[in-house]
Coordinates of all heavy atoms in Angstrom, one line a residue:
M1 N 38.5 -13.5 16.0 CA 37.3 -13.0 15.5 C 36.2 -13.1 16.5 O 36.0 -14.1 17.1 CB 36.9 -13.7 14.2 CG 35.7 -13.1 13.5 SD 35.2 -14.1 12.2 CE 35.8 -13.2 10.8
A2 N 35.5 -12.0 16.7 CA 34.4 -11.9 17.7 C 33.2 -12.7 17.1 O 32.9 -12.6 15.9 CB 34.1 -10.5 18.1
K3 N 32.5 -13.3 18.1 CA 31.3 -14.0 17.7 C 30.2 -13.0 17.4 O 30.0 -12.1 18.2 CB 30.9 -14.9 18.8 CG 30.9 -16.4 18.4 CD 30.4 -17.2 19.6 CE 29.6 -18.3 19.0 NZ 29.1 -19.2 20.1
K4 N 29.4 -13.2 16.4 CA 28.3 -12.3 16.2 C 27.1 -12.6 17.2 O 26.9 -13.8 17.5 CB 27.7 -12.5 14.8 CG 28.6 -12.0 13.7 CD 27.9 -12.2 12.3 CE 28.7 -11.6 11.2 NZ 28.1 -11.8 10.0
P5 N 26.5 -11.6 17.7 CA 25.3 -11.9 18.6 C 24.2 -12.6 17.9 O 24.0 -12.4 16.7 CB 24.9 -10.5 19.1 CG 25.4 -9.6 18.0 CD 26.7 -10.2 17.5
E6 N 23.6 -13.5 18.6 CA 22.5 -14.3 17.9 C 21.3 -13.3 17.8 O 20.9 -12.6 18.6 CB 22.1 -15.5 18.8 CG 23.2 -16.5 18.7 CD 22.7 -17.8 19.4 OE1 21.4 -18.1 19.4 OE2 23.5 -18.6 19.8
T7 N 20.7 -13.4 16.6 CA 19.5 -12.6 16.3 C 18.3 -13.5 16.4 O 18.4 -14.7 16.5 CB 19.6 -12.0 14.9 OG1 19.7 -13.0 13.9 CG2 20.8 -11.0 14.8
K8 N 17.2 -12.9 16.3 CA 15.9 -13.7 16.3 C 15.9 -14.8 15.2 O 15.5 -15.9 15.4 CB 14.7 -12.8 16.1 CG 13.4 -13.4 16.2 CD 12.3 -12.4 16.1 CE 10.9 -13.1 16.1 NZ 9.8 -12.2 15.9
S9 N 16.3 -14.4 14.0 CA 16.3 -15.3 12.9 C 17.3 -16.5 13.0 O 17.0 -17.6 12.5 CB 16.5 -14.6 11.6 OG 17.8 -14.1 11.5
S10 N 18.4 -16.2 13.7 CA 19.4 -17.3 13.8 C 18.9 -18.3 14.8 O 19.5 -19.4 14.9 CB 20.8 -16.8 14.2 OG 20.7 -16.2 15.5
K11 N 17.9 -18.0 15.6 CA 17.4 -18.9 16.6 C 16.2 -19.7 16.0 O 15.5 -20.4 16.7 CB 16.9 -18.1 17.8 CG 18.0 -17.5 18.6 CD 17.5 -16.8 19.8 CE 18.6 -16.2 20.6 NZ 18.1 -15.5 21.8
L12 N 15.9 -19.5 14.7 CA 14.9 -20.2 14.0 C 15.1 -21.7 14.2 O 16.1 -22.2 13.7 CB 14.8 -19.8 12.6 CG 13.7 -20.4 11.7 CD1 12.4 -19.8 12.2 CD2 13.9 -20.1 10.3
D13 N 14.2 -22.4 14.9 CA 14.3 -23.8 15.1 C 13.7 -24.6 14.0 O 12.5 -25.0 14.1 CB 13.7 -24.1 16.5 CG 13.9 -25.6 16.9 OD1 14.9 -26.2 16.4 OD2 13.1 -26.1 17.7
V14 N 14.5 -24.9 13.0 CA 13.9 -25.6 11.9 C 14.0 -27.1 12.1 O 13.1 -27.8 11.6 CB 14.6 -25.3 10.5 CG1 14.4 -23.8 10.1 CG2 16.1 -25.6 10.6
V15 N 14.8 -27.6 13.0 CA 14.9 -29.0 13.3 C 13.8 -29.5 14.1 O 13.2 -30.6 13.9 CB 16.3 -29.3 14.0 CG1 16.4 -30.8 14.4 CG2 17.4 -28.9 13.2
G16 N 13.2 -28.6 15.0 CA 12.1 -29.0 15.8 C 10.8 -28.8 15.2 O 9.8 -29.2 15.8
Q17 N 10.7 -28.3 14.0 CA 9.4 -28.1 13.4 C 9.0 -29.3 12.5 O 9.8 -30.0 12.0 CB 9.4 -26.9 12.5 CG 9.6 -25.6 13.2 CD 9.5 -24.3 12.3 OE1 9.5 -24.5 11.1 NE2 9.5 -23.2 12.9
S18 N 7.7 -29.5 12.4 CA 7.2 -30.6 11.6 C 7.3 -30.1 10.1 O 7.5 -29.0 9.8 CB 5.7 -30.9 11.9 OG 4.9 -29.8 11.5
D19 N 7.0 -31.1 9.2 CA 7.0 -30.7 7.8 C 6.0 -29.6 7.4 O 6.3 -28.8 6.6 CB 6.9 -32.0 6.9 CG 8.0 -32.9 7.0 OD1 9.1 -32.5 7.4 OD2 7.8 -34.1 6.7
D20 N 4.9 -29.8 8.0 CA 3.8 -28.8 7.7 C 4.2 -27.4 8.2 O 3.9 -26.4 7.6 CB 2.5 -29.2 8.3 CG 1.9 -30.4 7.6 OD1 2.2 -30.7 6.4 OD2 1.1 -31.2 8.3
Q21 N 4.8 -27.4 9.4 CA 5.2 -26.1 10.0 C 6.3 -25.5 9.1 O 6.4 -24.3 8.9 CB 5.7 -26.3 11.4 CG 4.6 -26.6 12.4 CD 5.2 -27.0 13.8 OE1 6.2 -27.6 13.9 NE2 4.4 -26.6 14.8
L22 N 7.2 -26.3 8.6 CA 8.3 -25.8 7.8 C 7.7 -25.2 6.5 O 8.2 -24.1 6.0 CB 9.3 -26.9 7.4 CG 10.3 -27.3 8.5 CD1 11.2 -28.5 8.0 CD2 11.1 -26.2 9.0
T23 N 6.8 -25.9 5.9 CA 6.2 -25.4 4.7 C 5.5 -24.1 4.9 O 5.6 -23.1 4.1 CB 5.2 -26.4 4.1 OG1 5.9 -27.7 4.0 CG2 4.6 -26.0 2.8
E24 N 4.8 -24.0 6.0 CA 4.1 -22.7 6.4 C 5.1 -21.6 6.6 O 4.9 -20.5 6.2 CB 3.2 -22.9 7.6 CG 2.4 -21.7 8.0 CD 1.5 -21.9 9.2 OE1 1.3 -23.1 9.6 OE2 1.1 -20.9 9.9
S25 N 6.1 -21.9 7.4 CA 7.2 -20.9 7.6 C 7.8 -20.4 6.4 O 8.1 -19.2 6.2 CB 8.2 -21.4 8.6 OG 7.7 -21.7 9.8
L26 N 8.1 -21.4 5.5 CA 8.7 -21.0 4.2 C 7.8 -20.1 3.4 O 8.3 -19.1 2.8 CB 9.0 -22.3 3.4 CG 9.7 -22.1 2.0 CD1 11.0 -21.5 2.3 CD2 9.8 -23.4 1.3
G27 N 6.5 -20.4 3.4 CA 5.6 -19.5 2.6 C 5.5 -18.1 3.3 O 5.5 -17.1 2.5
N28 N 5.5 -18.0 4.6 CA 5.5 -16.7 5.3 C 6.8 -15.9 5.0 O 6.8 -14.7 4.7 CB 5.4 -16.9 6.8 CG 4.0 -17.4 7.1 OD1 3.0 -17.2 6.4 ND2 3.9 -18.0 8.3
L29 N 8.0 -16.6 5.0 CA 9.2 -15.9 4.7 C 9.3 -15.5 3.3 O 9.9 -14.4 3.0 CB 10.4 -16.9 5.1 CG 10.6 -17.1 6.6 CD1 11.6 -18.2 6.8 CD2 11.1 -15.8 7.2
K30 N 8.8 -16.3 2.4 CA 8.8 -15.9 0.9 C 8.0 -14.6 0.7 O 8.3 -13.7 0.0 CB 8.4 -17.0 0.0 CG 9.4 -18.1 -0.2 CD 8.9 -19.1 -1.2 CE 10.0 -20.1 -1.5 NZ 9.7 -21.0 -2.5
R31 N 6.8 -14.6 1.4 CA 6.0 -13.5 1.3 C 6.6 -12.2 1.9 O 6.6 -11.1 1.3 CB 4.6 -13.7 2.1 CG 3.5 -12.8 1.8 CD 2.2 -13.2 2.4 NE 1.8 -14.6 2.0 CZ 1.8 -15.6 2.9 NH1 2.1 -15.5 4.1 NH2 1.5 -16.8 2.5
E32 N 7.3 -12.4 3.0 CA 8.1 -11.3 3.6 C 9.2 -10.8 2.7 O 9.4 -9.6 2.6 CB 8.6 -11.7 5.0 CG 9.3 -10.6 5.7 CD 9.8 -11.0 7.1 OE1 9.6 -12.1 7.6 OE2 10.5 -10.1 7.7
A33 N 9.9 -11.7 2.1 CA 11.0 -11.4 1.2 C 10.5 -10.6 0.0 O 11.0 -9.6 -0.4 CB 11.7 -12.6 0.7
F34 N 9.3 -11.0 -0.5 CA 8.6 -10.2 -1.6 C 8.3 -8.8 -1.1 O 8.6 -7.8 -1.8 CB 7.4 -11.0 -2.0 CG 6.6 -10.3 -3.1 CD1 7.0 -10.5 -4.4 CD2 5.5 -9.6 -2.8 CE1 6.3 -9.8 -5.4 CE2 4.7 -9.0 -3.7 CZ 5.1 -9.1 -5.1
N35 N 7.7 -8.7 0.0 CA 7.4 -7.3 0.5 C 8.6 -6.5 0.8 O 8.7 -5.3 0.5 CB 6.6 -7.4 1.8 CG 5.2 -8.0 1.6 OD1 4.6 -7.8 0.5 ND2 4.6 -8.7 2.6
L36 N 9.7 -7.1 1.3 CA 10.9 -6.4 1.5 C 11.6 -5.9 0.2 O 12.1 -4.8 0.2 CB 11.9 -7.3 2.3 CG 11.6 -7.5 3.8 CD1 12.6 -8.6 4.3 CD2 11.7 -6.3 4.6
R37 N 11.5 -6.7 -0.8 CA 12.0 -6.3 -2.1 C 11.2 -5.0 -2.6 O 11.8 -4.1 -3.1 CB 11.9 -7.4 -3.2 CG 13.0 -8.4 -3.0 CD 13.1 -9.3 -4.3 NE 11.8 -9.9 -4.7 CZ 11.3 -11.1 -4.3 NH1 12.0 -11.8 -3.4 NH2 10.2 -11.5 -4.7
F38 N 9.9 -5.0 -2.4 CA 9.2 -3.9 -2.8 C 9.5 -2.6 -2.0 O 9.6 -1.5 -2.5 CB 7.7 -4.1 -2.8 CG 7.1 -4.6 -4.1 CD1 7.1 -6.0 -4.3 CD2 6.6 -3.8 -5.0 CE1 6.6 -6.5 -5.5 CE2 6.1 -4.3 -6.2 CZ 6.1 -5.6 -6.5
Q39 N 9.7 -2.8 -0.7 CA 10.1 -1.7 0.2 C 11.4 -1.2 -0.2 O 11.6 0.1 -0.3 CB 10.1 -2.2 1.6 CG 8.8 -2.4 2.2 CD 8.8 -2.9 3.6 OE1 9.9 -2.9 4.3 NE2 7.7 -3.4 4.2
A40 N 12.3 -2.0 -0.6 CA 13.7 -1.6 -1.0 C 13.6 -0.8 -2.3 O 14.3 0.2 -2.5 CB 14.6 -2.8 -1.2
A41 N 12.7 -1.2 -3.2 CA 12.6 -0.6 -4.5 C 12.0 0.8 -4.4 O 12.3 1.7 -5.2 CB 11.7 -1.4 -5.5
T42 N 11.1 1.0 -3.4 CA 10.5 2.3 -3.2 C 11.1 3.1 -2.1 O 10.6 4.1 -1.7 CB 9.0 2.1 -2.9 OG1 8.9 1.3 -1.7 CG2 8.2 1.4 -4.0
S43 N 12.3 2.7 -1.7 CA 13.1 3.4 -0.6 C 12.3 3.5 0.7 O 12.5 4.5 1.3 CB 13.6 4.7 -1.2 OG 14.3 4.6 -2.3
Q44 N 11.6 2.5 1.0 CA 10.8 2.6 2.3 C 11.4 1.5 3.2 O 10.7 1.3 4.3 CB 9.3 2.3 2.0 CG 8.7 3.4 1.2 CD 7.2 3.1 0.9 OE1 6.8 2.0 1.1 NE2 6.5 4.1 0.4
L45 N 12.5 0.9 3.0 CA 13.0 -0.2 3.8 C 13.7 0.4 5.0 O 14.6 1.2 4.9 CB 14.0 -1.0 3.0 CG 14.5 -2.3 3.6 CD1 13.3 -3.2 3.9 CD2 15.5 -3.0 2.6
E46 N 13.2 0.0 6.2 CA 13.8 0.5 7.4 C 15.0 -0.2 7.9 O 15.9 0.4 8.4 CB 12.7 0.5 8.5 CG 11.5 1.4 8.3 CD 10.5 1.3 9.4 OE1 10.8 0.7 10.4 OE2 9.4 1.8 9.2
K47 N 15.0 -1.5 7.6 CA 16.1 -2.3 8.1 C 16.6 -3.2 7.0 O 16.2 -4.3 6.8 CB 15.6 -3.2 9.3 CG 16.7 -3.9 10.1 CD 16.1 -4.7 11.2 CE 17.1 -5.4 12.0 NZ 16.5 -6.3 13.0
P48 N 17.6 -2.8 6.2 CA 18.1 -3.5 5.1 C 18.7 -4.9 5.4 O 18.6 -5.8 4.6 CB 19.2 -2.6 4.5 CG 18.9 -1.3 5.0 CD 18.2 -1.5 6.3
S49 N 19.2 -5.0 6.6 CA 19.8 -6.3 7.0 C 18.7 -7.4 7.1 O 19.0 -8.6 7.1 CB 20.5 -6.2 8.3 OG 19.6 -5.8 9.4
R50 N 17.4 -7.0 7.2 CA 16.3 -8.0 7.3 C 16.2 -8.9 6.1 O 15.9 -10.0 6.1 CB 15.0 -7.3 7.6 CG 13.9 -8.2 7.8 CD 14.0 -9.1 9.1 NE 12.9 -10.0 9.2 CZ 13.0 -11.2 9.6 NH1 14.1 -11.7 10.0 NH2 11.9 -12.0 9.6
I51 N 16.6 -8.3 4.9 CA 16.6 -9.0 3.7 C 17.5 -10.2 3.7 O 17.2 -11.3 3.4 CB 16.9 -8.1 2.5 CG1 15.9 -7.0 2.3 CG2 17.1 -8.9 1.2 CD1 16.2 -6.0 1.2
R52 N 18.7 -10.0 4.2 CA 19.7 -11.1 4.4 C 19.2 -12.1 5.4 O 19.3 -13.3 5.1 CB 21.0 -10.5 4.9 CG 22.0 -11.6 5.1 CD 23.3 -11.0 5.7 NE 24.1 -10.5 4.6 CZ 25.3 -10.0 4.8 NH1 25.8 -9.9 6.0 NH2 26.0 -9.6 3.8
E53 N 18.6 -11.7 6.5 CA 18.1 -12.6 7.5 C 17.1 -13.5 6.9 O 17.1 -14.7 7.1 CB 17.6 -11.9 8.7 CG 18.6 -11.1 9.5 CD 18.0 -10.2 10.6 OE1 16.8 -10.2 10.7 OE2 18.8 -9.6 11.3
V54 N 16.1 -12.9 6.2 CA 15.0 -13.7 5.6 C 15.5 -14.7 4.6 O 15.1 -15.8 4.5 CB 14.0 -12.7 5.0 CG1 12.9 -13.5 4.2 CG2 13.3 -11.9 6.1
R55 N 16.5 -14.2 3.7 CA 17.0 -15.1 2.7 C 17.7 -16.3 3.3 O 17.6 -17.4 2.9 CB 18.0 -14.2 1.9 CG 18.0 -14.6 0.4 CD 18.9 -13.7 -0.4 NE 20.3 -13.6 0.1 CZ 21.0 -12.5 0.4 NH1 20.4 -11.4 0.2 NH2 22.2 -12.6 0.8
R56 N 18.5 -16.1 4.4 CA 19.1 -17.1 5.1 C 18.2 -18.1 5.8 O 18.4 -19.3 5.8 CB 20.2 -16.6 6.0 CG 21.3 -16.0 5.3 CD 22.4 -15.5 6.2 NE 23.5 -14.9 5.3 CZ 24.6 -14.4 5.8 NH1 24.8 -14.4 7.1 NH2 25.5 -13.9 5.0
D57 N 17.1 -17.5 6.4 CA 16.1 -18.4 7.0 C 15.4 -19.3 6.0 O 15.2 -20.5 6.2 CB 15.1 -17.6 7.7 CG 15.6 -17.0 9.0 OD1 16.6 -17.4 9.5 OD2 14.9 -16.0 9.5
I58 N 15.2 -18.7 4.8 CA 14.6 -19.5 3.7 C 15.6 -20.7 3.3 O 15.1 -21.8 3.2 CB 14.3 -18.7 2.5 CG1 13.1 -17.8 2.8 CG2 14.0 -19.5 1.2 CD1 12.8 -16.7 1.7
A59 N 16.8 -20.4 3.3 CA 17.9 -21.4 2.9 C 17.9 -22.5 4.0 O 18.0 -23.6 3.7 CB 19.2 -20.7 2.8
R60 N 17.8 -22.1 5.3 CA 17.8 -23.1 6.4 C 16.6 -24.0 6.3 O 16.8 -25.2 6.4 CB 17.7 -22.3 7.7 CG 19.0 -21.7 8.2 CD 18.9 -21.1 9.6 NE 20.0 -20.4 9.9 CZ 20.1 -19.0 9.8 NH1 19.1 -18.3 9.4 NH2 21.2 -18.4 10.1
I61 N 15.5 -23.5 6.0 CA 14.3 -24.3 5.9 C 14.4 -25.3 4.7 O 14.1 -26.5 4.8 CB 13.0 -23.4 5.7 CG1 12.8 -22.7 7.1 CG2 11.8 -24.3 5.4 CD1 11.6 -21.7 7.1
K62 N 14.8 -24.7 3.5 CA 15.0 -25.6 2.3 C 16.0 -26.7 2.6 O 15.9 -27.8 2.1 CB 15.4 -24.7 1.1 CG 14.2 -23.9 0.6 CD 14.6 -23.2 -0.7 CE 13.4 -22.6 -1.4 NZ 13.8 -22.0 -2.7
T63 N 17.1 -26.4 3.3 CA 18.1 -27.4 3.6 C 17.6 -28.5 4.5 O 17.8 -29.6 4.2 CB 19.3 -26.7 4.3 OG1 19.9 -25.7 3.4 CG2 20.4 -27.7 4.6
Q64 N 16.8 -28.1 5.5 CA 16.2 -29.1 6.4 C 15.2 -29.9 5.6 O 15.1 -31.1 5.7 CB 15.5 -28.4 7.5 CG 15.0 -29.3 8.6 CD 16.0 -30.1 9.2 OE1 17.1 -29.7 9.4 NE2 15.7 -31.3 9.6
Q65 N 14.4 -29.3 4.7 CA 13.4 -30.1 3.9 C 14.1 -31.1 3.0 O 13.7 -32.2 2.9 CB 12.5 -29.2 3.1 CG 11.5 -28.4 3.9 CD 10.7 -27.5 3.1 OE1 11.1 -26.9 2.1 NE2 9.4 -27.2 3.5
S66 N 15.2 -30.7 2.4 CA 16.0 -31.5 1.5 C 16.6 -32.7 2.3 O 16.6 -33.8 1.8 CB 17.1 -30.7 0.9 OG 17.9 -31.5 0.1
A67 N 17.1 -32.4 3.5 CA 17.7 -33.4 4.3 C 16.7 -34.5 4.7 O 17.0 -35.7 4.7 CB 18.4 -32.8 5.5
R68 N 15.5 -34.0 5.1 CA 14.4 -34.9 5.4 C 14.0 -35.8 4.3 O 13.7 -36.9 4.4 CB 13.2 -34.2 6.0 CG 13.5 -33.6 7.4 CD 12.3 -32.8 7.9 NE 12.6 -32.2 9.2 CZ 11.8 -31.6 9.9 NH1 10.5 -31.4 9.5 NH2 12.1 -31.0 11.1
A69 N 13.9 -35.2 3.1 CA 13.5 -35.9 1.9 C 14.6 -37.0 1.6 O 14.2 -38.1 1.2 CB 13.3 -34.9 0.7
K70 N 15.8 -36.6 1.7 CA 16.9 -37.5 1.4 C 16.9 -38.7 2.4 O 17.1 -39.8 2.0 CB 18.2 -36.8 1.5 CG 19.4 -37.5 0.9 CD 20.6 -36.6 0.9 CE 21.7 -37.1 0.0 NZ 22.9 -36.2 0.0
A71 N 16.6 -38.4 3.7 CA 16.5 -39.4 4.7 C 15.4 -40.4 4.5 O 15.5 -41.6 4.6 CB 16.5 -38.8 6.1
A72 N 14.2 -39.8 4.0 CA 13.0 -40.6 3.7 C 13.3 -41.5 2.5 O 12.8 -42.6 2.5 CB 11.9 -39.7 3.5
A73 N 14.0 -41.0 1.5 CA 14.3 -41.8 0.4 C 15.2 -42.9 0.7 O 15.1 -44.0 0.2 CB 14.9 -40.9 -0.8
A74 N 16.2 -42.6 1.6 CA 17.2 -43.7 2.0 C 16.5 -44.7 2.8 O 16.8 -45.9 2.8 CB 18.3 -43.0 2.8
A75 N 15.5 -44.3 3.7 CA 14.8 -45.3 4.5 C 13.9 -46.2 3.7 O 13.5 -47.3 4.0 CB 14.0 -44.5 5.6
A76 N 13.4 -45.7 2.5 CA 12.5 -46.4 1.7 C 13.2 -47.5 0.9 O 12.5 -48.4 0.4 CB 11.8 -45.4 0.7
K77 N 14.5 -47.4 0.8 CA 15.2 -48.4 0.0 C 15.4 -49.7 0.7 O 15.4 -49.9 1.8 CB 16.6 -47.9 -0.4 CG 16.5 -46.8 -1.5 CD 17.9 -46.4 -1.9 CE 17.8 -45.4 -3.0 NZ 19.2 -45.0 -3.4

């Protein structure tokens, strides 16, 4: 199976970002996802694959936030 080329979103560096940066990125991505949904509903969406990219970036950020919270809870014990 051929490797997929890396896109801009797959290079999203969630590990290197601070908690505040992750929260800000998450807000921006959620806003973009909202706008993309409206564009799709009105048939104005130019790049349908962007919806998937944004959804996956949101999942990456949430996963990193969850891992950090779990690590902080374990360190507090």
Side-chain angles (χ1 to χ4, degrees):
M1 181 188 260
K3 245 183 140 178
K4 289 185 180 179
E6 289 191 25
T7 61
K8 182 179 178 184
S9 65
S10 66
K11 293 181 181 179
L12 183 68
D13 183 26
V14 295
V15 178
Q17 292 184 356
S18 70
D19 291 338
D20 292 335
Q21 290 172 327
L22 284 177
T23 304
E24 182 180 342
S25 295
L26 183 62
N28 290 338
L29 286 169
K30 284 186 173 184
R31 194 171 307 112
E32 183 178 355
F34 178 80
N35 290 332
L36 288 171
R37 281 196 308 272
F38 269 89
Q39 288 177 11
T42 59
S43 301
Q44 295 177 348
L45 189 59
E46 293 178 13
K47 190 175 176 187
S49 62
R50 184 66 184 142
I51 294 173
R52 175 185 276 182
E53 292 171 1
V54 170
R55 218 175 53 231
R56 289 183 179 182
D57 286 343
I58 290 171
R60 283 185 189 98
I61 291 173
K62 286 186 172 185
T63 301
Q64 186 64 32
Q65 287 177 329
S66 175
R68 288 182 185 183
K70 197 173 191 180
K77 285 185 179 181

